[in-house]
Amino acid sequence: DLSTAGRHFVDRYGTLFGAASGTSSLTEAATFAGWSGVGGAVRYQQTLRGVPVIAGQVAVQIDAAGAVVSATGRASAGLNVDTTANVSSDQAAATAVATTVRRDGATAAELTASAPQLSIYDPALIGAADDLAGPRLVWRTDVRTALGEIDRFVLIDAHAGYVALTFSQRNDFLARQICDNMENA
């Protein structure tokens, strides 16, 4: 059984990935059957008092005999975050929309924010520049236009209301035509 083998592994070795026993837990998020139903993988999500940690995940690959063949991931070590928000989800959504208006030049009427979800953001898990600020409780939301020309990921600090992280989720590229005059373009 994939779940049993994976659970045994993360219970025994979770601390090697950063999950501290007693303060946070790795909960099963998804199970994937292997090719032709042989073996597979289990993905675990780190949580603290039921709040998911962004990028705090461990994936365990298991062979047909139930042995762990590989594991990868990272968890936030030593979490000590107050998981009660001082900022409402409505305030977080309004701040996320206002940030997107400033950054992307849209009007608020063009934008829709997804329902904010309470999460824990540890900048060290993603290699962000502000990792000295440490883990914090945030509201996670996506702000988009109807056609998707704007698609922004926004984290709002759930205690102070400031923008903890934001970036565009669009994978645009520059389309360029190279002309060497041989094709007379």
Side-chain angles (χ1 to χ4, degrees):
D1 177 34
L2 293 175
S3 292
T4 302
R7 180 84 262 157
H8 177 71
F9 179 85
V10 297
D11 286 349
R12 185 167 184 184
Y13 299 107
T15 56
L16 297 176
F17 294 91
S21 58
T23 59
S24 64
S25 63
L26 294 170
T27 56
E28 188 173 316
T31 302
F32 307 93
W35 186 256
S36 300
V38 178
V42 185
R43 184 170 47 93
Y44 295 89
Q45 173 67 55
Q46 184 183 21
T47 60
L48 176 66
R49 294 186 282 286
V51 178
V53 178
I54 296 169
Q57 297 183 352
V58 175
V60 181
Q61 185 179 2
I62 302 161
D63 69 13
V68 173
V69 293
S70 70
T72 186
R74 195 166 168 200
S76 184
L79 282 178
N80 186 16
V81 175
D82 178 2
T83 56
T84 304
N86 297 334
V87 174
S88 74
S89 63
D90 289 341
Q91 290 170 311
T95 301
V97 168
T99 297
T100 305
V101 165
R102 283 191 308 275
R103 292 203 175 231
D104 296 305
T107 64
E110 298 174 274
L111 301 170
T112 303
S114 63
Q117 297 177 334
L118 212 50
S119 301
I120 295 171
Y121 167 54
D122 182 351
L125 289 179
I126 64 169
D130 69 342
D131 66 347
L132 295 177
R136 65 203 87 149
L137 187 68
V138 295
W139 287 106
R140 175 186 178 175
T141 186
D142 297 306
V143 180
R144 299 183 173 111
T145 56
L147 295 178
E149 55 279 296
I150 295 173
D151 184 2
R152 184 162 288 283
F153 178 90
V154 185
L155 299 180
I156 304 298
D157 185 285
H159 292 126
Y162 64 84
V163 177
L165 178 71
T166 184
F167 57 84
S168 175
Q169 298 184 100
R170 292 196 38 131
N171 291 322
D172 294 341
F173 62 93
L174 295 175
R176 299 191 182 203
Q177 180 178 7
I178 306 298
C179 178
D180 63 5
N181 206 19
M182 299 286 259
E183 296 173 8
N184 298 320

